[in-house]
Amino acid sequence: MKPQRRNTLAYAIHASLLVGLTLPLMAVAQDTQDQAKTLDTVTVTGTRIKQTNAVTAQPVFVLNREKLEQTGVQTVGEILQQLTASGQALNAKFNSSGNFGYPADGGGIGAGSAQVDLRHLGSKRVLVLVDGIRWVNESSASGVSGSADVNTIPLAIVERIEVLEDGASSIYGSDAIAGVVNVITRRNFEGTEIHSYYGEYSKGGETTEASLTIGGGGERFNAVFAASYYEQKGISSGDWEQSAYPTPGTGVRGGSSGTPQGRAIFCDPSRPAGSVGFCDPATDFWYDVTLDDGTTSPVWNPADPDAGTYHGFTGADRFNFAPFNLLLTPSKRKALFTSVNYDISDNVRLHAKALYNNRTSVNQAAPEPIFVGPFAGTGGIADTISIHEDNPYNPYGITLDANSNFGFVTKRPIEVGPRRFEQDVDTIYFNVGLDGLWNVGNGYNWDVNLVHSENKAEQRFTNGYNVAKMKLALGDPAVCAQVPGCVPLDLFGGQGRPMTQEMIDYIRTTQIDSSKQTLDLISANITGDLFAIGDRYAGFAAGLEHRNYKGEFNPDPLRQSGESQDSFAAAVSEDYDVSEVYVEGNFPLLDTLDVSAAIRYSDYSTFGDATTGKIGFRWQPIEDLVLRGTYSEGFRAPNLGELYGLTQFGATLVDPCGSTGNPGPASPDLAAGCLAQGAGPNFEQANTQITTFTGGNPNLEPEESDSYTFGVVYAPSWAEGRAWSDRLDFELSYYNHEIDGAIQARDLQALLLTCLREGGVGTVNCAGFTRQAGGNLNPPENFLDNLGTIETDGLDIKVNWIGPEWGWGRLNASLQATTVFGYEAIDIDGNKSQREVGIEVSDSAIPDWQTNLQVGWTLGDWNVNWTSRYISAVDEACSNVPVGEAPGCMGGVEFNTLGSTTVHDLQLGWRNAFALEGLKLSAGVNNVFGKDPPVCLTCSLNGYDAGTYDLPGSFWYLSADYRF
């Protein structure tokens, strides 16, 4: 990545830093070494230069230990996803472990993990640090991810969380485009703390947490040890009306055609032309039948299926898979952490940290449906299966030949039980290093770190099938008889004649997938003052870092060979390394004006080198007012999954030629394109999930970004020490991010619409789309490329007020609000993404406004905190509803509105409870009034957007902390 626009700023910053660093040599000697510094300096996320100013040039939001406890939740992921700057990210409310396949980004499903998204730019564009050191990316045994699982960091070890709401690639390197989350661990802890917690949703999902923290030391030594346990139980989707059906308010119309009674699409070569069952190329006369309910002995009449025990398949026959899903996925986490510091001398300290975290979690889906025949559309073995006429359970008396008269046969054998995906994930982190003070001039702080971290996962998938064995069991019985264990398979008996245990045992298989990510790094940093300007100092920081990334994904051999009924996936075992150097400076040009600049050079073994820069200013014209701004260049290197992954994904796609439960004809502007592709006027999409071949691209280039912020911080002195106010401050921060060469797959839904409008065939946008004889889409390919441009901007508003001490207590209030002005994503073909401000699409919303308001009261050892969390209304396109019309999308309505929501949380705290010093009791209710999330008709699971809204109903909890 060597674009010219990068070099201009980089050279300018380089020159300014060079001048700043050499000025002390050129200036008249100044006796500054003995000047005492009266202000303590600290390192704030967003710069490695130690600061004395409480307000820096970049916006940083800090959640201290007290604020973390006031949320009432027990995971880092939940806390971060409540931020107003947060977007949609994975959490325990997502239940898509494997039944959807694998996303195009090669990162896997991430089942059971929790990630953080800032500015709606995706979790891969947020850098997660722990104590300023890069954290290892997650692996959930389904790919090689470019995002970190923040729930691998136990809340018990967290002192505070700093969120940089600005780009910072020049400070920290790749990924820091939307922002940086820096988790600061507990360090100077003295004594022992025992913590216990129990909570429960109104629909179940009990949560239990306990931790033990011990800290102490001597004159030259201190250490902290923490052990924690967390358990969250699951909630079934069937326990809530809104999630009890695939699409809320539509019954089984949005269900699957893979039903317990089975479905068959085929023709009989012996049937006369124009009669039912005739083998016409357009499939207009083919059978499309299902078994009558209650049938134990199927009876087939080829001239009139309704005269036997069959009837034509309709939307009323679809299977409701929703109650088998989970509204909240269960998980357990166990963690051990220790941090040790030892003063080797007065100026050199040895530090070491170690963490072990284990997570077990479960996802669940409805019993695996069996689809065999060319209309199955898997792109694999299942499409080639024929059913022999001698199969003893074949009621049709003919061979169903995949090369001629066979569409598909489906059956969902509920007797096998639901699909279960059980994850077992270990995270290991070890950091050892030195830090100290170099007593030259005004003194320079330095540190050296050697870090090894890994995230290793195994997923056990039960109640899936071996499709190669199914092919044998449905073929010639004489051939099957020659294979040990093979017995003919019955897909035709419905619930009245379930599959035998012998059949199940032959085709059922347990599949074990595993993945591992390893990050090894060594870094060295130095920071200090260069020279004085008046009573202030010019500061600098510089450093080196080398990182090695290694990623492995080992799908079960059946997945790799295509013999799994579940999604195909190829193995990945790759690595790369990067070496970096950076320098940063902060220069007080005037008594009231500071200018900062940074530059970072990165050399990657995959794509080459990159140089990024950043400049900023901080101007304080009066004591009460600070104006600040930054401009930064950023980049994100393609991760290993994006470079090398190869998988399948069951994309939820609404076919405009005739969606599931809502047959054609298509709208007039699309009808010609549908017909040209082979989808007639009466076409109906068989299923909403369309198998897509996805994967990485080893020729990917890094994403590039330009970001700038401008802010005002006002802390009026007229509000200090007053009868009504002890302190008041306001903060406004404007942000703007533009990303070029965004790594993504094409938006298949938008691409299909564009293709059909262009005539359906013969254009660039139509190259990936072909159809089967019956009109259903063949599996398209959708690989990653540097396809997109994304631009977004908005405004953060923060207000904090602390009241004076009154006789009846003390009040405080805080407000955080984010409004998004614009969000636009356009791919290389000119197709504009459906993601916009105020729109819900692809299980993700970008609300105009998100607001959190906290009001607190304290009196002695008692405190009460009330929090209100507001999300403005968003719209979803009715054209994306999988079943066509649904409540809210009736009568040609273009959009369904997901109304605004306000959720209220209440917490009561009592310190030194029962006169026992160090005992703190808390009780609270999140979502006090049991507000349900708005109905989402286009969301893939559970009828609501799990990345934007809370679970339905209230959550109450009790906690006890005893410190001594």
Side-chain angles (χ1 to χ4, degrees):
M1 182 181 66
K2 308 179 185 70
Q4 185 61 40
R5 66 182 181 87
R6 291 274 180 257
N7 294 341
T8 304
L9 177 60
Y11 291 154
I13 294 172
H14 182 78
S16 67
L17 289 170
L18 185 62
V19 170
L21 292 171
T22 55
L23 270 174
L25 304 177
M26 298 159 51
V28 177
Q30 300 179 57
D31 185 16
T32 60
Q33 298 183 18
D34 298 327
Q35 292 181 359
K37 295 184 182 179
T38 59
L39 294 176
D40 292 333
T41 60
V42 295
T43 301
V44 179
T45 302
T47 177
R48 294 193 184 274
I49 301 173
K50 290 187 178 292
Q51 304 278 314
T52 58
N53 294 312
V55 179
T56 61
Q58 53 276 326
V60 179
F61 181 59
V62 180
L63 289 159
N64 60 25
R65 186 78 190 174
E66 182 180 8
K67 290 179 180 177
L68 297 175
E69 292 173 349
Q70 288 174 2
T71 64
V73 299
Q74 294 297 294
T75 68
V76 173
E78 286 181 272
I79 291 169
L80 292 173
Q81 291 184 14
Q82 288 183 3
L83 299 178
T84 61
S86 176
Q88 182 267 3
L90 278 177
N91 55 56
K93 296 172 287 184
F94 283 89
N95 184 49
S96 54
S97 51
N99 48 313
F100 283 96
Y102 303 91
D105 65 5
I109 301 298
S113 69
Q115 300 170 359
V116 56
D117 172 21
L118 297 175
R119 308 304 190 199
H120 308 281
L121 291 174
S123 57
K124 294 190 295 294
R125 300 184 181 106
V126 178
L127 178 61
V128 176
L129 309 174
V130 173
D131 294 324
I133 302 293
R134 186 178 291 256
W135 197 244
V136 66
N137 287 335
E138 65 95 7
S139 59
S140 291
S142 57
V144 183
S145 176
S147 304
D149 178 6
V150 291
N151 279 351
T152 58
I153 309 166
L155 193 60
I157 73 171
V158 179
E159 179 65 30
R160 68 183 184 275
I161 301 175
E162 298 178 354
V163 181
L164 173 64
E165 299 167 329
D166 188 14
S169 289
S170 61
I171 308 298
Y172 301 111
S174 176
D175 307 334
I177 288 180
V180 178
V181 171
N182 190 8
V183 179
I184 309 300
T185 61
R186 303 172 90 168
R187 182 172 175 177
N188 297 317
F189 183 89
E190 297 285 340
T192 300
E193 181 180 78
I194 302 172
H195 168 75
S196 62
Y197 175 98
Y198 179 84
E200 185 175 347
Y201 290 93
S202 54
K203 300 185 183 301
E206 298 94 332
T207 301
T208 305
E209 201 271 346
S211 65
L212 169 68
T213 305
I214 302 172
E219 183 178 349
R220 304 178 69 89
F221 166 85
N222 77 288
V224 177
F225 169 82
S228 66
Y229 174 82
Y230 174 90
E231 181 176 4
Q232 174 182 276
K233 294 186 178 180
I235 302 175
S236 170
S237 298
D239 292 339
W240 184 38
E241 181 181 1
Q242 190 167 315
S243 59
Y245 286 93
T247 302
T250 64
V252 298
R253 283 199 295 124
S256 171
S257 64
T259 72
Q261 290 299 91
R263 180 184 182 183
I265 298 177
F266 66 99
C267 67
D268 187 341
S270 67
R271 296 294 299 157
S275 65
V276 61
F278 169 62
C279 291
D280 64 307
T283 72
D284 292 337
F285 294 94
W286 289 35
Y287 301 115
D288 184 358
V289 294
T290 187
L291 201 62
D292 294 339
D293 290 342
T295 299
T296 56
S297 299
V299 177
W300 174 249
N301 183 339
D304 184 8
D306 290 345
T309 58
Y310 292 84
H311 64 273
F313 186 90
T314 69
D317 295 305
R318 291 184 175 275
F319 176 72
N320 180 19
F321 54 80
F324 293 89
N325 291 325
L326 295 175
L327 194 62
L328 180 66
T329 60
S331 66
K332 294 181 183 179
R333 288 193 294 275
K334 294 165 282 188
L336 296 172
F337 170 80
T338 188
S339 174
V340 179
N341 294 280
Y342 176 73
D343 292 338
I344 298 174
S345 68
D346 290 343
N347 294 323
V348 179
R349 175 172 54 194
L350 172 70
H351 62 257
K353 294 187 186 74
L355 176 139
Y356 170 75
N357 186 86
N358 172 262
R359 184 245 299 170
T360 56
S361 51
V362 177
N363 298 73
Q364 180 176 293
E368 179 104 59
I370 295 173
F371 283 77
V372 296
F375 288 9
T378 67
I381 296 173
D383 298 357
T384 68
I385 291 179
S386 299
I387 301 178
H388 201 276
E389 61 183 335
D390 293 336
N391 180 296
Y393 308 104
N394 181 351
Y396 308 123
I398 60 172
T399 292
L400 304 182
D401 189 343
N403 296 311
S404 58
N405 67 327
F406 190 20
F408 65 46
V409 165
T410 76
K411 177 180 171 65
R412 190 183 297 261
I414 58 175
E415 56 268 28
V416 175
R419 285 166 283 177
R420 284 179 63 84
F421 303 84
E422 300 173 351
Q423 301 91 33
D424 190 340
V425 185
D426 288 327
T427 302
I428 298 171
Y429 175 85
F430 183 71
N431 177 338
V432 63
L434 299 170
D435 60 88
L437 179 66
W438 184 24
N439 281 318
V440 174
N442 294 304
Y444 296 91
N445 296 98
W446 58 270
D447 65 83
V448 177
N449 292 276
L450 179 65
V451 178
H452 172 80
S453 55
E454 62 182 55
N455 186 272
K456 180 172 63 175
E458 180 179 278
Q459 177 170 271
R460 184 181 182 89
F461 167 37
T462 55
N463 293 334
Y465 305 118
N466 183 322
V467 71
K469 289 186 175 182
M470 283 197 291
K471 185 170 186 175
L472 275 172
L474 290 169
D476 187 341
V479 175
C480 175
Q482 303 301 313
V483 179
C486 182
V487 293
L489 183 61
D490 181 9
L491 300 182
F492 308 98
Q495 296 184 76
R497 192 179 69 200
M499 295 194 310
T500 67
Q501 193 62 48
E502 278 186 306
M503 298 176 190
I504 294 171
D505 289 344
Y506 180 63
I507 66 170
R508 181 168 61 180
T509 182
T510 295
Q511 300 167 48
I512 298 176
D513 307 322
S514 65
S515 62
K516 181 179 179 180
Q517 295 227 57
T518 303
L519 172 61
D520 292 297
L521 70 83
I522 183 169
S523 67
N525 303 281
I526 187 169
T527 180
D529 294 333
L530 296 174
F531 54 90
I533 298 180
D535 61 350
R536 295 189 299 148
Y537 288 83
F540 91 104
L544 305 166
E545 184 167 289
H546 178 81
R547 302 190 299 274
N548 178 264
Y549 296 85
K550 185 174 183 180
E552 301 174 15
F553 174 40
N554 294 298
D556 189 272
L558 292 181
R559 290 194 190 276
Q560 298 187 49
S561 66
E563 295 178 64
S564 171
Q565 165 81 6
D566 206 61
S567 302
F568 164 83
V572 174
S573 181
E574 299 287 347
D575 67 276
Y576 70 87
D577 59 75
V578 54
S579 297
E580 297 179 305
V581 59
Y582 78 92
V583 63
E584 178 187 5
N586 186 74
F587 309 107
L589 300 185
L590 303 172
D591 288 343
T592 59
L593 176 64
D594 291 359
V595 173
S596 59
I599 189 169
R600 190 180 191 98
Y601 173 78
S602 306
D603 185 17
Y604 279 76
S605 63
T606 48
F607 65 86
D609 59 359
T611 303
T612 54
K614 183 171 186 174
I615 56 175
F617 76 92
R618 179 188 183 277
W619 181 38
Q620 190 168 3
I622 59 174
E623 183 68 25
D624 299 353
L625 181 68
V626 172
L627 303 178
R628 66 187 182 190
T630 63
Y631 169 73
S632 60
E633 298 168 333
F635 81 104
R636 185 179 74 84
N639 61 64
L640 290 168
E642 292 171 326
L643 289 167
Y644 304 112
L646 178 60
T647 56
Q648 280 183 337
F649 182 54
T652 299
L653 196 65
V654 178
D655 196 330
C657 298
S659 60
T660 303
N662 188 39
S667 60
D669 62 323
L670 305 177
C674 291
L675 191 60
Q677 287 187 354
N682 298 318
F683 167 74
E684 179 182 356
Q685 182 180 0
N687 287 295
T688 58
Q689 283 183 237
I690 304 297
T691 299
T692 307
F693 286 98
T694 64
N697 178 354
N699 297 316
L700 288 173
E701 292 291 325
E703 297 179 344
E704 301 172 352
S705 69
D706 293 288
S707 303
Y708 60 89
T709 67
F710 179 78
V712 179
V713 180
Y714 181 48
S717 55
W718 49 260
E720 294 182 6
R722 304 294 181 177
W724 58 274
S725 172
D726 192 50
R727 181 175 176 83
L728 175 66
D729 60 71
F730 304 87
E731 179 182 334
L732 300 176
S733 294
Y734 171 79
Y735 69 88
N736 184 293
H737 298 284
E738 182 176 352
I739 301 171
D740 293 326
I743 298 171
Q744 62 189 52
R746 285 172 167 82
D747 183 336
L748 280 180
Q749 188 70 67
L751 196 64
L752 180 58
L753 283 168
T754 301
C755 165
L756 293 172
R757 290 192 181 103
E758 293 175 348
V761 293
T763 69
V764 172
N765 290 315
C766 293
F769 298 108
T770 59
R771 293 181 182 264
Q772 304 162 1
N776 280 295
L777 288 165
N778 287 312
E781 293 183 350
N782 197 22
F783 293 98
L784 295 175
D785 211 331
N786 294 98
L787 292 176
T789 297
I790 304 172
E791 185 170 5
T792 184
D793 69 330
L795 182 71
D796 292 325
I797 304 169
K798 297 182 176 72
V799 182
N800 297 287
W801 172 75
I802 300 175
E805 292 278 4
W806 286 298
W808 46 268
R810 189 174 197 176
L811 295 176
N812 65 82
S814 298
L815 171 74
Q816 306 90 43
T818 298
T819 179
V820 185
F821 296 147
Y823 185 100
E824 183 178 73
I826 301 176
D827 71 19
I828 198 171
D829 302 315
N831 296 308
K832 185 178 179 181
S833 170
Q834 298 178 77
R835 291 199 79 198
E836 296 180 16
V837 178
I839 296 296
E840 166 74 47
V841 66
S842 301
D843 299 293
S844 176
I846 305 180
D848 290 272
W849 282 93
Q850 288 182 266
T851 303
N852 292 341
L853 172 66
Q854 301 91 17
V855 178
W857 169 81
T858 59
L859 178 62
D861 291 330
W862 292 89
N863 65 83
V864 177
N865 294 283
W866 182 276
T867 300
S868 296
R869 294 179 280 127
Y870 169 79
I871 300 174
S872 62
V874 295
D875 294 331
E876 59 181 341
C878 290
S879 60
N880 290 337
V881 177
V883 296
E885 290 197 335
C889 282
M890 307 287 284
V893 174
E894 189 175 355
F895 290 97
N896 173 55
T897 297
L898 286 66
S900 62
T901 62
T902 303
V903 172
H904 302 279
D905 306 331
L906 174 65
Q907 184 186 80
L908 171 66
W910 184 17
R911 296 183 183 275
N912 302 316
F914 304 108
L916 181 59
E917 185 177 354
L919 176 63
K920 177 186 175 183
L921 302 178
S922 299
V925 181
N926 288 352
N927 195 0
V928 172
F929 303 113
K931 177 74 173 179
D932 282 347
V935 172
C936 177
L937 302 174
T938 61
C939 291
S940 56
L941 287 175
N942 292 327
Y944 86 110
D945 179 353
T948 303
Y949 303 98
D950 285 1
L951 282 166
S954 301
F955 177 82
W956 65 267
Y957 61 89
L958 300 169
S959 71
D961 296 86
Y962 182 43
R963 184 167 179 175
F964 55 93

